Amino acid sequence: MRWLLTGEGEMLPKPAPDQEESETVPGPRGRRWHHLIELVETSDDPDGMLADLFARAQDEARRRELERALIELRAELDRLKKRA
């Protein structure tokens, strides 16, 4: 409002602290990433929690990779059966 009356100061209000912090992690999941970081950083064992989260993410990535490979193998097996 001050800017409107005097031409001094900020034209737009500063964002609330929550908005400012969630924007440090851009994208549609920024708020969730920020909350996850807070959970890790405020835990009793942040290094252990981070290691556990990382291990779970790696396991999930491996599982999805194996699932894709299995689908491809089944498709190849079906193609070979049709040729025989």
Side-chain angles (χ1 to χ4, degrees):
M1 181 82 121
R2 181 177 171 204
W3 176 85
L4 187 60
L5 296 172
T6 65
E8 296 174 1
E10 297 293 322
M11 185 169 115
L12 299 173
K14 292 184 180 179
D18 290 348
Q19 290 174 338
E20 210 170 271
E21 290 174 2
S22 67
E23 291 174 3
T24 59
V25 182
R29 292 177 280 307
R31 180 175 271 160
R32 292 177 74 191
W33 280 115
H34 180 74
H35 185 66
L36 185 59
I37 290 167
E38 280 184 355
L39 288 173
V40 170
E41 292 300 325
T42 59
S43 77
D44 293 338
D45 182 16
D47 291 331
M49 183 181 260
L50 187 58
D52 185 48
L53 288 170
F54 188 71
R56 289 175 188 231
Q58 282 184 316
D59 287 346
E60 179 63 18
R62 283 188 203 111
R63 186 193 64 78
R64 288 181 186 205
E65 183 181 333
L66 289 171
E67 191 173 275
R68 271 180 264 154
L70 181 60
I71 290 169
E72 290 175 11
L73 285 172
R74 285 181 177 163
E76 183 64 25
L77 182 59
D78 287 343
R79 281 192 292 269
L80 291 172
K81 284 182 180 179
K82 288 179 182 177
R83 286 185 185 174

